[in-house]
Amino acid sequence: MTLPKINPLKTKSWRDLKNHFDEIKSYTISYFFDNDSDRFESFSIKFGDLLVDYSKNRINDKTLEIFEKLAEEIKLDNAIESYFGGEKINETERRAVLHTAVRSQSDETLILDGIDIIEKIKTERERVFKFTNEVISGDYLGFSGKKISTIVNVGIGGSDLGPKMVTEALKFYKNHLNIKFISNIDGDHIHSLLELLDPETTLFIIVSKSFKTQETLTNGETIKKWFIKKTNTDAISKHFVAISNNLDKTKDFGISSDKTFPMNDWVGGRFSLWSSAGITIALAIGQDNFQELLGGAQEIDYHFKTAKFRDNIPKVLALIGIWYTNFWNAETEAIVPYTEYLRSLPAYLQQSVMESNGKSINREGEKINYQTSPIIWGASGTNSQHAFFQHIHQGTKLIPVDFIGFRNSLFGNTEHQKKLLANLIGQVNALMKGKNKDEVEKELLSKKINEDEIKFLTPYKIFEGNKPSNTMIFDKVTPKNIGRLIAIYEHKIFVQGIVWNIFSYDQWGVELGKELADEILKKKNLNLSSLENYLFS
Ligand code: F6P
């Protein structure tokens, strides 16, 4: 079964949404609150200790009713079945999309090309844990008999962003291992890191599904040369680990088969952190925490497959996103986590959302005439309040925001936590309510400011309000909650791709630049002192 190929613009629901947009576009979010005392209750979802508040959006019951019909019309539930069932929904690469299977902890079988892959996944996971446990416990020794103290993850894109974001997010649960990430081909990056490393106690994890990526292979080769020179040995097999789907290439590189962990072609790079590609996470936080991470994501998988529409977090968030992108012409979405530990979440989501849904050809090979993926950006709160929030409050663009907060702090400092969350709540309310002319004038009057000055200042101090946001409040930054959070966004991406009638799991758009860079290097023998000759040729 392939994915349905339905132009959303040709559905009745899309036409209904257009009419509905005209009906409600002049109503504000505050108006909806004023006229519905149950709005918070009916436009929020409680999933265990997770609260998802989507009441601060320019939507009403009818908006959701039409979106639910749209989901039926575009056959979303059939698509979900195909996704979890291992159908080859990545049609342009003829692959299944099974990051949900690699995190599975259930005993259900999943047959792909005649083979039960769940057994295989479990065996591989056990192999990863056996190895990571040995490194963490200090049983695993480097070539000179010393314990490993530093791990360097060498990878880029999905082979870097996910492991890096999660390792940072779960820093509180980290063991003694010192974890570093190298991604960029920028030689200054790698050389400045190598200066700090002791080859006898460092383990390099080369993560590359294709094992063909220029950045990763160049960095890997540079590290290998440095290692051999520094140690005067060729003990590569003790200090290099590979995660890849290209076992010939990992062998050519010199990595022994017992240090090679396969990545399957049915796990996309940007969704691979749950698989052996997440080995750096398992090294950083240990087996139990890694299992918790998988468990949290699996809870959301089940929720996504079974919860009814209004209670279904990924479905509701996805469709609200479509509402702003396609009806309100919003071009971006800001992601603002109120914990410094999630500061890399926006960068991680930039790849997973935009590499997936930044497409303009539909599932029938035709150019489409509507918007797809928003531009994803953001930074941690409260830092971002002192950077780009001015633009969100008073700029000319409509920017829906996702606020992500945690009730409890990790170190138990409630004074800071209260201030942190008061800021989050303050922003949600300020965005929604704004401040009108009367309020501004009254405030200035109360400060005994003279009339001329009040007249001058008032327009600058008005906040239009009616700025939409979603808020997710988790209990604490735990492996389970980080697993839940990531899986919510993964399924949101899936739903949006289905509605936009695009293929979310390929990334052909990254190829041309790579090809040209290779061509420039190979054929034109790049001369660094005359770059202008290449830029204009
Ligand atoms: O930039 C494109 C891309 O293919 C991403 O999709 C992927 O995550 C990244 O490169 C790294 O690829 P690999 O794991 O094969 O080195």
Side-chain angles (χ1 to χ4, degrees):
M1 199 165 57
T2 55
L3 290 177
K5 295 176 170 54
I6 299 167
N7 180 344
L9 268 55
K10 296 207 169 136
T11 60
K12 176 179 179 302
S13 315
W14 201 272
R15 286 194 299 278
D16 290 347
L17 281 167
K18 267 185 149 177
N19 294 332
H20 172 65
F21 172 77
D22 287 333
E23 274 162 32
I24 71 161
K25 67 180 180 212
S26 53
Y27 295 107
T28 63
I29 304 167
S30 295
Y31 170 87
F32 292 131
F33 266 99
D34 292 344
N35 287 281
D36 177 4
S37 54
D38 292 334
R39 182 168 171 95
F40 177 75
E41 282 299 317
S42 43
F43 291 78
S44 60
I45 301 171
K46 289 200 179 80
F47 178 72
D49 55 15
L50 164 62
L51 169 70
V52 179
D53 171 18
Y54 62 93
S55 62
K56 279 83 179 176
N57 281 297
R58 298 176 182 181
I59 57 170
N60 63 11
D61 281 316
K62 193 166 168 199
T63 326
L64 291 176
E65 275 162 31
I66 311 177
F67 266 120
E68 188 169 4
K69 290 211 179 93
L70 175 70
E72 281 164 26
E73 263 192 276
I74 51 114
K75 300 189 173 34
L76 177 61
D77 286 341
N78 293 357
I80 293 174
E81 243 179 75
S82 303
Y83 171 37
F84 283 89
E87 304 294 338
K88 299 200 170 161
I89 61 168
N90 177 357
E91 289 179 38
T92 66
E93 295 181 333
R94 311 250 175 254
R95 288 174 183 162
V97 175
L98 282 172
H99 48 276
T100 51
V102 282
R103 60 188 175 224
S104 170
Q105 294 174 324
S106 91
D107 290 325
E108 282 173 28
T109 55
L110 180 59
I111 308 296
L112 186 69
D113 296 330
I115 298 166
D116 176 15
I117 58 164
I118 296 292
E119 265 319 299
K120 209 174 137 206
I121 287 167
K122 285 189 180 158
T123 314
E124 274 312 321
R125 201 186 290 152
E126 285 313 314
R127 253 193 90 215
V128 169
F129 288 146
K130 185 170 177 300
F131 178 70
T132 54
N133 288 340
E134 279 174 19
V135 175
I136 295 168
S137 67
D139 290 345
Y140 184 88
L141 302 175
F143 78 95
S144 60
K146 290 190 181 166
K147 292 177 183 173
I148 297 297
S149 60
T150 302
I151 308 293
V152 180
N153 190 98
V154 187
I156 197 162
S159 300
D160 167 71
L161 290 162
K164 184 164 176 249
M165 185 273 284
V166 173
T167 305
E168 263 176 29
L170 298 176
K171 195 174 155 196
F172 186 75
Y173 304 87
K174 227 178 68 49
N175 51 37
H176 61 286
L177 293 171
N178 185 16
I179 311 280
K180 305 277 180 197
F181 289 86
I182 274 288
S183 50
N184 202 323
I185 200 161
D186 175 5
D188 294 342
H189 188 197
I190 185 142
H191 285 291
S192 57
L193 175 66
L194 289 177
E195 275 188 2
L196 309 173
L197 300 179
D198 174 356
E200 291 180 65
T201 55
T202 303
L203 189 65
F204 296 96
I205 315 275
I206 319 270
V207 190
S208 177
K209 184 174 164 184
S210 59
F211 227 78
K212 285 182 182 165
T213 305
Q214 188 194 52
E215 292 89 337
T216 305
L217 292 197
T218 307
N219 282 332
E221 289 298 341
T222 300
I223 295 169
K224 197 161 77 174
K225 274 189 216 136
W226 167 88
F227 181 87
I228 293 169
K229 194 167 163 213
K230 278 267 179 187
T231 62
N232 232 343
T233 72
D234 58 356
I236 301 298
S237 63
K238 279 270 172 198
H239 290 265
F240 287 76
V241 172
I243 318 297
S244 184
N245 185 38
N246 190 341
L247 303 187
D248 291 338
K249 289 260 181 198
T250 59
K251 202 166 154 213
D252 291 350
F253 187 93
I255 299 179
S256 63
S257 58
D258 65 320
K259 303 284 177 332
T260 304
F261 298 91
M263 245 172 120
N264 296 294
D265 74 352
W266 33 263
V267 177
R270 54 191 174 274
F271 303 104
S272 63
L273 68 92
W274 322 100
S275 71
S276 52
I279 193 167
T280 300
I281 306 172
L283 282 162
I285 61 173
Q287 172 171 351
D288 292 347
N289 285 319
F290 191 81
Q291 296 274 35
E292 285 278 309
L293 177 81
L294 302 188
Q298 233 203 326
E299 273 186 11
I300 294 295
D301 294 343
Y302 184 73
H303 163 83
F304 178 51
K305 285 191 284 185
T306 56
K308 57 184 196 313
F309 183 79
R310 282 286 285 255
D311 294 330
N312 196 305
I313 303 166
K315 284 186 185 174
V316 167
L317 294 183
L319 293 167
I320 289 174
I322 286 177
W323 183 232
Y324 293 118
T325 299
N326 298 102
F327 295 88
W328 290 91
N329 298 326
E331 298 208 319
T332 80
E333 260 174 35
I335 309 289
V336 186
Y338 275 67
T339 160
E340 208 42 36
Y341 283 6
L342 275 175
R343 65 185 172 277
S344 295
L345 181 68
Y348 165 78
L349 289 176
Q350 280 175 337
Q351 188 203 16
S352 55
V353 175
M354 296 200 279
E355 199 168 85
S356 299
N357 285 342
K359 311 275 167 71
S360 53
I361 301 295
N362 71 13
R363 290 199 285 268
E364 290 174 291
E366 300 153 347
K367 177 99 180 137
I368 55 184
N369 59 351
Y370 47 86
Q371 293 293 316
T372 57
S373 174
I375 294 157
I376 300 294
W377 60 292
S380 66
T382 58
N383 293 7
S384 49
Q385 292 176 202
H386 301 271
F388 54 72
F389 264 72
Q390 161 66 36
H391 189 302
I392 301 181
H393 283 286
Q394 287 188 319
T396 51
K397 294 178 172 53
L398 173 66
I399 303 169
V401 186
D402 276 1
F403 288 96
I404 298 158
F406 296 84
R407 263 190 202 94
N408 296 297
S409 75
L410 293 166
F411 288 90
N413 187 327
T414 43
E415 194 198 328
H416 277 257
Q417 196 63 10
K418 279 185 185 171
K419 288 182 181 169
L420 181 70
L421 290 182
N423 271 282
L424 184 160
I425 296 164
Q427 290 299 326
V428 171
N429 284 314
L431 286 170
M432 177 183 85
K433 290 184 184 153
K435 198 188 267 185
N436 64 27
K437 191 164 176 269
D438 284 354
E439 290 168 315
V440 174
E441 284 173 348
K442 239 188 228 160
E443 190 183 288
L444 291 174
L445 259 178
S446 74
K447 289 183 182 158
K448 310 252 178 299
I449 293 174
N450 72 49
E451 237 176 75
D452 284 349
E453 190 68 357
I454 291 179
K455 209 169 164 205
F456 167 68
L457 280 178
T458 298
Y460 301 103
K461 290 188 151 258
I462 290 172
F463 288 66
E464 273 180 14
N466 198 27
K467 313 280 187 204
S469 66
N470 297 303
T471 302
M472 289 189 245
I473 302 284
F474 294 84
D475 180 46
K476 219 182 207 182
V477 177
T478 61
K480 190 179 191 174
N481 284 333
I482 296 302
R484 285 164 154 186
L485 176 69
I486 301 168
I488 287 171
Y489 279 106
E490 284 181 347
H491 298 321
K492 176 180 170 186
I493 291 166
F494 171 82
V495 174
Q496 295 191 329
I498 295 301
V499 174
W500 285 322
N501 193 26
I502 53 178
F503 289 121
S504 299
Y505 298 98
D506 58 21
Q507 54 286 316
W508 299 108
V510 301
E511 295 304 323
L512 181 60
K514 288 187 199 172
E515 281 163 24
L516 293 186
D518 279 348
E519 197 179 295
I520 291 163
L521 281 171
K522 281 187 197 139
K523 290 197 194 141
K524 300 192 176 170
N525 190 22
L526 188 70
N527 179 347
L528 293 175
S529 58
S530 55
L531 287 181
E532 55 280 14
N533 295 342
Y534 306 93
L535 284 168
F536 298 116
S537 69

